[in-house]
Amino acid sequence: RGAHNGTMINVPVVAGMVGNAFDFDGTNVISVPFSADLVPSTGLSVEAWVRPVGAQVVWARIVGIMTDFNPTSIWLLGVGSHQGVYFGLLKNSVQTYIDGMSPFTSQRWTHVAATWDGLVMLIYIDGVVQTDVGAVVGPLSGTTTPLLIGRGDTNLAGFRGQVDELTLYGRGLTA
């Protein structure tokens, strides 16, 4: 989705899956200023290597453009109620989400991908599509809050662990 520089707020860099990774403790964050090209209209894919450390708070945010506990968010990827991958899209303050049933394994690198092709939402774990499927007709709408990596706009839903090779695409990728 183009080149966007973020501000790291107390985020150490540690050995990652590929080179270095960002290490999150549930309170630190990387903030990327809002840009319209980070708001998908006809598709989105977000993928990363993640390595959770310990149990996560429910709805812990890995990355997204969101305001915690506020329906004016746009999209987010995080840890859901089953301690697996959670992918949510919001349009007109209504959230559609899929909540992966396969829990993360603490201290293990996992490749996570969430895709939306303008209608269908899917999650892939280590290249395997998950059974939960959602549907949203674009374009999305919401706030102009920054893209945040590691947590939402508060410390209430912070991710604990490492994130490496985070990449966004302006289209829904296939397997």
Side-chain angles (χ1 to χ4, degrees), residues 57-159:
V57 297
V58 177
W59 318 125
R61 311 293 201 241
I62 296 170
V63 62
I65 298 177
M66 81 292 277
T67 303
D68 284 346
F69 313 110
N70 185 318
T72 62
S73 300
I74 299 174
W75 64 269
L76 59 100
L77 178 71
V79 179
S81 60
H82 304 286
Q83 292 292 296
V85 177
Y86 170 91
F87 179 44
L89 300 176
L90 289 98
K91 180 178 179 181
N92 301 326
S93 298
V94 175
Q95 181 177 195
T96 300
Y97 68 92
I98 50 180
D99 189 4
M101 299 298 288
S102 301
F104 282 113
T105 301
S106 182
Q107 306 286 338
R108 179 184 173 274
W109 284 105
T110 301
H111 186 264
V112 174
T115 68
W116 172 63
D117 65 4
L119 177 61
V120 177
M121 301 166 60
L122 298 170
I123 295 173
Y124 294 85
I125 305 295
D126 290 329
V128 178
V129 69
Q130 303 299 289
T131 57
D132 201 4
V133 177
V136 174
V137 177
L140 304 181
S141 62
T143 184
T144 57
T145 192
L147 180 139
L148 300 173
I149 305 168
R151 66 173 172 84
D153 63 330
T154 70
N155 289 342
L156 298 176
F159 178 73

